[in-house]
Structures are given as C-alpha cells and as structure tokens.
Amino acid sequence: MPKEFGRSARVSSQMQKELALILQRDIDDSRLGFITINEVVLSKDLASAKIYFTVLNSDEQGKKSHVKRLNEMSPLIRHLLAKKMQLRHISELKFFYDDSFDTGMRVAELLSNANKAATPEKDENDTL
C-alpha cells in the first residue's frame, strides 16, 4: 500500500512550521516585518530547500530587500533550524518571494472591475 505523503513532504511541512516560528520568535531584526512562509520545496535528496514567503504591506523594493536579507541570514536560520529538527543534515536554504498572492489580488481586482462594467446600472426613471 503506497504512502500518501512521502518523507520529503513530511520534512517540508515540518520545516515550514519551524521556519515560521524561527522568523517570528528567534530572529530579532525589526527590518524584516511580518513574514509568512507559504511553501517549502525540497529536492529529492533533501539537500536544498526553496522557501517561498510573503511580506505584509511591502512594495517592490521592500520585497527585493527582504529576499536579500533573508538569503544573507540563511546560515543563521539554518543553524537555528538544525537545533529544532531532528535530521542528520539540514538543507541549504534559499529564499524566494512568492508573488502568487499579489497576482491573485490583481486578478480579483480586474474581475471585480470587469463585473462592475458589465452590469448596467438601473436608472431611477426606469420602471416596468
């Protein structure tokens, strides 16, 4: 009987939870703001991890600076992660900004505008 979730999926799920806690509690950098870890994608051999995150209320320049700052702090974050997870080897961490939320908000805005334009407004003088 095949397993529903393989080891890679379980490790990435646990890593996502631990990274969120580390960034919230252990990293004391006020420049980071409120970061949400959206997804952790591990390689098959668990040697590298791509971490996708979003930041609340940040512009393009802020997003780029967050990616740069997190990738610079990657060794420290990896060290803290190694203390919390019970693995022989901890993956190399690479942070990426996840723009899917921004894209979704933009699509929702466009659909809302298209819906408003498509529905004719009723005149008060129109009666049946």
Side-chain angles (χ1 to χ4, degrees):
M1 183 176 202
K3 292 183 182 179
E4 257 184 67
F5 297 103
R7 182 169 189 251
S8 179
R10 291 191 312 268
V11 171
S12 69
S13 175
Q14 183 65 28
M15 194 176 283
Q16 180 179 355
K17 292 174 191 173
E18 295 297 342
L19 283 169
L21 290 173
I22 287 170
L23 290 172
Q24 182 181 18
R25 296 180 184 166
D26 298 335
I27 301 295
D28 191 25
D29 191 349
S30 60
R31 299 173 294 174
L32 286 178
F34 187 73
I35 295 176
T36 304
I37 303 295
N38 292 353
E39 186 178 12
V40 174
V41 178
L42 290 170
S43 62
K44 287 190 179 215
D45 61 354
L46 307 179
S48 64
K50 292 180 182 178
I51 298 143
Y52 295 93
F53 70 94
T54 54
V55 182
L56 191 63
N57 297 330
S58 185
D59 58 350
E60 274 305 310
Q61 185 63 28
K63 293 171 188 174
K64 290 178 184 177
S65 69
H66 276 82
V67 169
K68 182 180 177 189
R69 198 169 298 125
L70 285 170
N71 282 316
E72 287 171 355
M73 296 174 70
S74 173
L76 170 66
I77 295 170
R78 184 176 181 224
H79 176 74
L80 294 170
L81 185 64
K83 287 182 178 179
K84 295 186 182 247
M85 294 190 69
Q86 301 196 351
L87 295 172
R88 274 185 201 204
H89 302 285
I90 294 295
S91 307
E92 291 292 327
L93 306 178
K94 182 75 174 163
F95 290 88
F96 298 94
Y97 186 79
D98 185 8
D99 59 355
S100 62
F101 179 75
D102 298 336
T103 304
M105 292 299 290
R106 178 71 179 136
V107 168
E109 180 183 329
L110 290 172
L111 288 173
S112 175
N113 290 343
N115 191 19
K116 287 179 185 175
T119 56
E121 294 187 26
K122 290 185 177 183
D123 277 343
E124 292 177 13
N125 297 334
D126 287 345
T127 55
L128 294 176

